[in-house]
Amino acid sequence: MNGGSDMTLAFELEALKELASPESVFEDARGWTEYIGVVSEKPTYVVTNFTRKNRIRQDFFSGPRGKAESLEGVKDQFDTDRYVLIASSEEDEQLAEEVGWEYLDVEDAAEAADWIVASSADDEADDAEPVRDDWP
């Protein structure tokens, strides 16, 4: 992805779940962002459980607030040139516009950054040769 590293990047939780390897996505994105985190309307424990399970270290998360309040708070707390929300719904695109963030669809972001979308990984696994389980 281009545009410099002076950026705050937020993943909407459901969009992040669409990626085959959220942990490696975060590792990669840390190379070209200043701050990175996850926002969601889900309860805090849902986000925390997902990020722990996937070994994701984030600089911010929604907490008990909704996405709009979270994005506004992140923008107030972290001073960068750009604020980008990676998500996958029209509602999130509208939300990003309302709170002054750039919106990037998760599939477009994945293509630009060479991340694997989970459905693509499933398709690749289906194309693989079947494994013989009758081998001694």
Side-chain angles (χ1 to χ4, degrees), residues 62-130:
S62 295
R65 303 171 293 182
K67 288 186 277 190
E69 189 178 346
S70 295
L71 292 172
E72 289 169 342
V74 166
K75 197 169 185 180
D76 288 343
Q77 185 176 1
F78 299 104
D79 184 26
T80 56
D81 291 339
R82 295 176 65 200
Y83 300 87
V84 179
L85 172 64
I86 295 179
S88 59
S89 72
E90 289 181 19
E91 294 82 15
D92 287 329
E93 183 173 10
Q94 185 176 359
L95 169 65
E97 186 176 315
E98 289 170 5
V99 296
W101 283 61
E102 297 173 43
Y103 173 84
L104 185 57
D105 183 80
V106 66
E107 290 190 6
D108 294 338
E111 185 177 330
D114 290 327
W115 300 330
I116 298 172
V117 177
S119 62
S120 299
D122 294 342
D123 293 344
E124 289 172 16
D126 292 343
D127 293 341
E129 274 189 44

Side-chain angles (χ1 to χ4, degrees), residues 1 9-29 32 36-38 50 53-54 56 86-88 104-122:
M1 302 216 35
L9 186 65
F11 282 89
E12 198 282 326
L13 179 62
E14 296 307 312
L16 186 58
K17 288 179 177 180
E18 293 181 31
L19 299 169
S21 178
E23 178 184 5
S24 61
V25 165
F26 260 65
E27 287 175 19
D28 177 52
W32 41 266
I36 186 170
V38 180
F50 179 81
K53 176 183 167 193
N54 289 283
I56 293 172
I86 295 179
S88 59
L104 185 57
D105 183 80
V106 66
E107 290 190 6
D108 294 338
E111 185 177 330
D114 290 327
W115 300 330
I116 298 172
V117 177
S119 62
S120 299
D122 294 342

Side-chain angles (χ1 to χ4, degrees), residues 11-14 16-17 22 26 36-67 70:
F11 282 89
E12 198 282 326
L13 179 62
E14 296 307 312
L16 186 58
K17 288 179 177 180
F26 260 65
I36 186 170
V38 180
V39 295
S40 177
E41 294 291 339
K42 305 254 185 205
T44 303
Y45 75 89
V46 173
V47 176
T48 302
N49 287 344
F50 179 81
T51 56
R52 281 186 185 155
K53 176 183 167 193
N54 289 283
R55 296 184 184 107
I56 293 172
R57 183 180 55 83
Q58 54 187 341
D59 299 315
F60 60 86
F61 64 97
S62 295
R65 303 171 293 182
K67 288 186 277 190
S70 295

